[in-house]
């Protein structure tokens, strides 16, 4: 009988020889809980450091958490993990997806799916009633994501849940995405990992749901009611204004929804509209067209990225770089085969997406990512990436570490743009700005922000955003909580539920989360144990990064421009106003991040982590404390632990 909260098995498929087997979920849950934790341990066990992202031996791991399948907690999210080609050098990475595909995988009897090998020709996986089939997908190759979903649903039934790639993934574009049911998209280049395996899609069909069982269902229902009331009472739209014809929707199992919306295109096909992806082309389109036509061009860009499978967080700064290169005379229409002089119009975005997705002409260069494209072009074009690109994965700059100082250590120690961690300070700050600007119904006051800092960021000092004091501790605590959250897996936009209208002293860091985990799994985990699980998983990921070549302290770096160029304003905070000492508003506009200041933060961060300060390597003492002695043994053989 499976453990409470879990399906009990993780499906493993080798496409090279067609072998299908299962892993026992219970082998992983005690130390790693679910989600990112289990995926990281499977990756550690199943791959070698030399395995390349597009090699057959790379694992593509789709994983759920113990809350998947239980509704009303925003806990039906799921992740994809494995080595990614999106960054330089290639690295273990992750993507977090919503919709319902993950819940359906669990209802089909599996907590996760591990795919290795490479099929001789295009295939898709069919998971149904405890059976797994590897089926021919030649007739799907070359189709867009939506076309693939439509064809498979027409053939297999409208109730199937489809995970698929588009032409960008098939052609191994480094920043290609996957698309799953309800428009759930996964970034970090995993479209190309699927493409390298000749895996076009994974279909889940559930004729009879095998629902996970909670250890204490009555307690879980009570907690769901409380979570709903707290969420509704404390939710504030962060200033998003839904465009016309956008219909609010929610992922499967959500608490109360957010600003996620859908709309129909001219052909009646539904597409999602949410966060950064919804504004991927807004600036160029507004400058070119303005008004309604500009909105139409922006929506077209968003749709094309989903259809062909391109990461909007890479496309957006890439377009900005192309625009600046054209203005500076570095690139021309003739050299690129793109109408750079018409950036912002519909023809440009159509041609850009197609060229990259099929690696045609200059699109083959752009398919490697903005930074590699800039190296290829030369002529100081690398400097022109500064305005938009902030990670080694070519991603757009979000919640700049010059403004949010705790984010400096997060950016430096993560393999990609960890938006779920960057949000930890940024989302409450957006609410505080609304309160500061006296928005109607805004409620996150300076006092409330200080309470959040004390509870979730390690101390009141972290609430003073004008100083680096307390920011190393904030980064550590945000990561520990975040890795726990990524293993449950609960939605980043819903958790934690900050108690800001009527602050409840009974609810501390992870109080609700630990009670929910206990009610689901029957394991009586308190707040400290749950946070320690997050710390364990973060340290396991650090071990993975070190084993594959991350050079410890020397690898925990930021781009030079963050130390040289002053920060400007932001879309929700044009004057870069932050709470300073005593909660007094101050502006960080024009500030830079001091190198000495950053190095001191690293010293403090490593000390707080229990790592070696000089090298940034973990210690045997810390790994024994975290019950990672087996991982420490491997690191010891390689000289990667102190």
């Amino acid at each position: 009988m499976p453990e409470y909260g879990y399906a009990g098995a993780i499906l493993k498929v080798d496409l090279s020889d067609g072998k299908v087997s299962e892993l026992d979920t219970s082998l992983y849950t005690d130390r790693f809980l679910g989600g990112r934790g289990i995926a990281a341990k499977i990756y550690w066990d199943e791959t070698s450091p030399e395995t390349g992202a597009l090699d057959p031996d790379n694992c593509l791991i789709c994983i759920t958490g113990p809350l998947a399948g239980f509704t009303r907690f925003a806990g039906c999210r799921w992740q994809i993990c494995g080595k990614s080609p999106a960054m330089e050098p290639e690295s273990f990475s992750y993507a977090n997806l919503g919709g319902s595909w993950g819940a359906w995988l669990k209802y089909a009897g599996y907590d996760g799916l591990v795919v290795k090998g490479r099929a001789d020709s295009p295939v898709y996986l069919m998971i149904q009633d405890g059976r797994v089939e590897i089926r021919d997908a030649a007739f799907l190759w070359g189709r867009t994501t939506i076309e693939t979903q439509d064809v498979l649903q027409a053939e297999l039934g409208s109730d199937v849940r489809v995970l698929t790639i588009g032409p960008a993934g098939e052609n191994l574009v480094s920043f290609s995405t996957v698309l799953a049911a309800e428009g759930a998209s996964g970034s970090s280049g995993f479209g190309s990992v699927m493409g390298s395996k000749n895996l076009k899609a994974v279909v889940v069909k559930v004729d009879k749901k095998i629902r996970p069982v909670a250890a204490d269902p009555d307690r879980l229902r009570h907690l769901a009611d409380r979570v709903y009331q707290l969420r509704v009472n404390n939710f504030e739209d962060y200033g998003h204004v839904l465009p016309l014809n956008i219909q609010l929707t929610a992922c499967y199992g959500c608490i109360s929804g957010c600003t996620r919306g859908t709309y129909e295109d001219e052909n009646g096909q539904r597409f999602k509209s949410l966060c950064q992806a919804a504004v991927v082309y807004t600036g160029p389109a507004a400058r070119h067209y303005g008004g309604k036509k500009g909105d139409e061009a922006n929506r077209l860009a968003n749709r094309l990225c989903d259809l062909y499978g391109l990461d909007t967080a890479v496309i957006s700064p890439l377009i900005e770089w192309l625009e600046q290169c054209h203005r500076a005379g570095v690139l021309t229409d003739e050299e690129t085969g793109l109408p750079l002089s018409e950036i912002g119009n519909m023809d440009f975005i159509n041609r850009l997406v197609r060229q990259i997705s099929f690696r045609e002409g200059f699109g083959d260069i752009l398919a490697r990512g903005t930074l590699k494209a800039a190296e290829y072009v030369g002529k100081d074009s690398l400097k022109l990436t500064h305005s938009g690109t902030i990670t080694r994965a070519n991603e757009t700059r979000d919640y700049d570490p010059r403004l949010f100082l705790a984010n400096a250590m997060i950016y430096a120690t993560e393999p990609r743009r960890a938006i779920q961690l960057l949000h930890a300070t940024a989302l409450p700050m957006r609410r505080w700005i609304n309160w500061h600007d006296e928005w109607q119904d805004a409620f996150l006051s300076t006092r409330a922000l200080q309470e959040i800092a004390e509870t979730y960021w390690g101390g009141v000092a972290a609430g003073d955003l004008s100083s680096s004091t307390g920011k190393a501790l904030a980064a550590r605590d945000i990561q520990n909580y975040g890795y726990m959250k990524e293993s449950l897996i609960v939605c980043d936009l819903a958790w934690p539920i900050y108690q800001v209208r009527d602050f409840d002293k009974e609810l501390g860091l992870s109080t609700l989360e630990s009670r929910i985990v206990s009610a689901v799994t029957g394991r009586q985990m308190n707040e400290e144990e749950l946070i320690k699980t997050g710390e364990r998983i973060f340290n396991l990921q650090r071990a993975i990064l070190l084993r594959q070549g991350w050079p410890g302290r020397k690898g925990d770096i930021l781009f030079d421009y963050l130390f040289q160029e002053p920060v400007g304003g932001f879309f929700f905070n044009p004057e870069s106003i932050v709470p300073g000492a005593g909660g007094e508003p101050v502006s960080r506009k024009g500030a830079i991040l001091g190198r000495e200041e950053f190095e001191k933060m690293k010293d403090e961060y490593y000390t707080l982590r229990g790592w070696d300060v000089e090298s940034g390597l973990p210690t045997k003492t810390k790994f024994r404390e975290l019950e990672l002695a087996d991982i420490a043994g491997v690191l010891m053989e390689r000289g990667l632990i102190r």
Side-chain angles (χ1 to χ4, degrees):
M1 178 180 175
E3 296 177 283
Y4 287 116
Y6 298 92
I10 297 168
L11 180 64
K12 185 178 176 183
V13 179
D14 191 323
L15 294 175
S16 293
D17 59 15
K19 183 180 178 181
V20 176
S21 57
E22 292 183 0
L23 301 172
D24 185 344
T25 309
S26 66
L27 298 175
Y28 303 94
T29 55
D30 186 48
R31 283 194 294 172
F32 304 110
L33 195 58
R36 180 87 66 82
I38 290 180
K41 184 58 166 64
I42 290 173
Y43 180 85
W44 176 270
D45 292 340
E46 295 283 340
T47 65
S48 70
E50 296 75 29
T51 300
L54 305 183
D55 290 348
D57 282 344
N58 187 21
C59 282
L60 182 78
I61 305 165
C62 301
I63 197 76
T64 65
L67 301 192
F70 297 99
T71 57
R72 304 177 67 200
F73 293 106
C76 289
R77 295 190 71 87
W78 55 288
Q79 292 206 352
I80 301 177
C81 296
K83 182 168 273 189
S84 164
M87 58 281 296
E88 179 61 39
E90 294 179 344
S91 174
F92 172 82
S93 192
Y94 50 85
N96 188 308
L97 300 89
S100 63
W101 191 92
W104 256 245
L105 180 66
K106 198 164 187 179
Y107 291 152
Y110 298 107
D111 294 302
L113 167 68
V114 179
V115 182
K116 295 186 76 172
R118 175 184 292 143
D120 292 333
S121 59
V123 298
Y124 74 91
L125 293 181
M126 179 71 185
I127 302 171
Q128 179 182 12
D129 297 332
R131 300 192 313 272
V132 182
E133 296 180 42
I134 302 173
R135 297 183 175 181
D136 176 64
F139 68 106
L140 298 170
W141 207 252
R143 294 181 185 269
T144 67
T145 56
I146 300 297
E147 286 175 330
T148 300
Q149 289 180 348
D150 288 347
V151 169
L152 289 171
Q153 286 180 324
E155 179 181 328
L156 304 171
S158 60
D159 59 333
V160 301
R161 299 302 194 269
V162 180
L163 164 67
T164 189
I165 60 174
E170 295 172 0
N171 292 299
L172 311 184
V173 174
S174 67
F175 52 94
S176 56
T177 58
V178 303
L179 196 78
E182 292 91 42
S185 56
S187 56
S188 211
F190 288 120
S192 63
V193 177
M194 281 184 68
S196 72
K197 296 182 178 302
N198 273 326
L199 180 62
K200 178 65 176 178
V202 181
V203 181
V204 182
K205 185 174 177 62
V206 179
D207 294 325
K208 185 177 181 180
K209 293 177 182 174
I210 306 172
R211 293 186 180 274
V213 177
D216 191 343
D218 290 338
R219 177 66 171 153
L220 196 62
R221 280 192 291 271
H222 172 76
L223 286 166
D225 290 340
R226 187 167 193 199
V227 164
Y228 175 77
Q229 291 300 327
L230 289 169
R231 166 68 173 170
V232 170
N233 190 43
N234 289 289
F235 178 74
E236 177 191 329
D237 184 358
Y238 308 118
H240 294 148
V241 178
L242 287 176
L244 291 175
N245 303 318
I246 294 288
Q247 180 180 352
L248 282 175
T249 186
C251 295
Y252 182 80
C254 191
I255 302 168
S256 59
C258 61
T259 54
R260 188 184 198 274
T262 63
Y263 68 95
E264 287 188 359
D265 70 358
E266 60 276 9
N267 299 315
Q269 177 67 55
R270 294 209 75 82
F271 290 87
K272 77 172 184 302
S273 175
L274 178 66
C275 295
Q276 183 275 333
V279 294
V280 58
Y281 200 44
T282 292
R287 290 191 291 273
H288 186 86
Y289 292 115
K292 184 178 178 181
K293 190 77 169 177
D295 291 340
E296 291 174 1
N298 177 60
R299 284 197 192 176
L300 173 63
N302 192 357
R303 292 198 301 273
L304 288 170
C305 287
D306 274 353
L307 285 164
Y308 285 83
L310 292 174
D311 187 353
T312 58
V314 176
I315 283 290
S316 186
L318 183 143
I319 291 172
E320 189 172 351
W321 174 74
L322 287 172
E323 195 168 20
Q324 292 201 38
C325 284
H326 181 259
R327 261 196 233 115
V330 173
L331 289 174
T332 66
D333 294 17
E334 292 72 28
E335 288 174 311
T336 61
L338 290 166
L340 299 179
S341 53
E342 297 295 322
I343 287 179
N345 73 11
M346 296 187 188
D347 178 55
F348 172 81
I349 193 64
N350 264 304
R351 289 171 65 175
L352 178 70
V353 167
R354 182 171 182 85
Q355 274 200 24
I356 293 174
S357 298
F358 290 96
R359 306 191 76 132
E360 298 170 345
F362 194 66
D364 181 55
I365 304 300
L366 298 178
R368 306 171 196 177
T370 313
L371 296 175
K372 284 188 176 179
E375 289 177 6
Y376 174 86
V377 170
K379 307 175 189 177
D380 290 330
S381 66
L382 195 60
K383 293 180 181 178
L384 301 179
T385 66
H386 297 178
S387 61
T389 304
I390 197 171
T391 71
R392 288 166 276 200
N394 302 281
E395 294 156 305
T396 188
R397 188 175 70 236
D398 274 316
Y399 310 120
D400 195 302
R402 291 168 293 184
L403 180 64
F404 300 99
L405 291 168
N407 288 352
M409 284 312 307
I410 292 172
Y411 268 116
T413 56
E414 292 286 332
R416 58 159 299 181
R417 163 181 160 269
I419 194 69
Q420 75 284 357
L421 303 178
L422 304 177
H423 276 162
T425 49
L427 295 187
M429 266 298 300
R430 292 182 70 172
R431 292 184 178 186
W432 180 82
I433 286 292
N434 292 348
W435 175 83
H436 174 268
D437 292 345
E438 300 181 342
W439 282 36
Q440 185 177 356
D441 298 326
F443 55 80
L444 204 155
S445 64
T446 299
R447 178 178 175 274
L449 191 68
Q450 289 173 333
E451 289 171 340
I452 289 171
E454 187 171 7
T455 305
Y456 293 92
W457 305 341
V460 173
D464 175 2
L465 271 72
S466 67
S467 164
S468 60
T469 302
K471 302 310 180 292
L473 177 58
R476 185 203 68 173
D477 285 3
I478 286 166
Q479 286 176 318
N480 288 350
Y481 176 86
Y483 276 69
M484 173 275 293
K485 188 168 72 170
E486 293 273 286
S487 295
L488 286 179
I489 306 166
V490 291
C491 178
D492 172 46
L493 296 179
W495 294 89
I497 303 175
Y498 295 116
Q499 307 311 299
V500 291
R501 287 190 191 274
D502 303 298
F503 194 78
D504 187 346
K505 292 293 185 182
E506 180 196 352
L507 297 178
L509 178 66
S510 299
T511 302
L512 280 171
E513 295 87 331
S514 63
R515 292 174 182 175
I516 293 167
V517 169
S518 297
V520 168
T521 67
R523 293 172 57 192
Q524 300 307 308
M525 297 184 72
N526 60 30
E527 294 96 328
E528 291 77 16
E529 290 169 325
L530 202 56
I531 291 298
K532 188 173 182 178
T533 300
E535 183 182 10
R536 180 182 302 123
I537 294 163
F538 176 80
N539 276 267
L540 171 59
Q541 180 171 292
R542 180 72 169 188
I544 290 171
L545 298 178
L546 291 169
R547 188 179 71 160
Q548 71 183 18
W550 190 290
R553 182 169 188 138
K554 292 180 180 178
D556 298 335
I557 57 176
L558 301 171
F559 286 164
D560 286 343
Y561 76 83
L562 295 169
F563 303 105
Q564 300 164 348
E565 300 174 13
V567 68
F570 292 84
F571 64 99
F572 69 92
N573 189 358
E575 295 304 315
S576 295
I577 301 295
V578 299
E584 289 299 312
V586 297
S587 174
R588 280 192 61 82
K589 198 169 187 177
I592 61 170
L593 182 63
R595 287 188 186 273
E596 185 177 346
E597 177 184 33
F598 177 60
E599 292 302 319
K600 285 181 179 179
M601 285 175 64
K602 285 164 74 171
D603 290 347
E604 184 182 354
Y605 177 84
Y606 297 146
T607 301
L608 289 164
R609 281 262 173 233
W611 297 350
D612 179 67
V613 172
E614 184 178 351
S615 65
L617 297 179
T619 62
K620 288 176 279 187
T621 301
K622 171 54 71 173
F623 269 43
R624 280 196 297 268
E625 175 195 320
L626 293 173
E627 302 170 44
L628 293 173
D630 54 332
I631 308 299
V634 176
L635 294 182
M636 200 178 308
E637 293 171 1
R638 294 174 175 268
L640 296 174
I641 197 166
R642 294 289 185 263

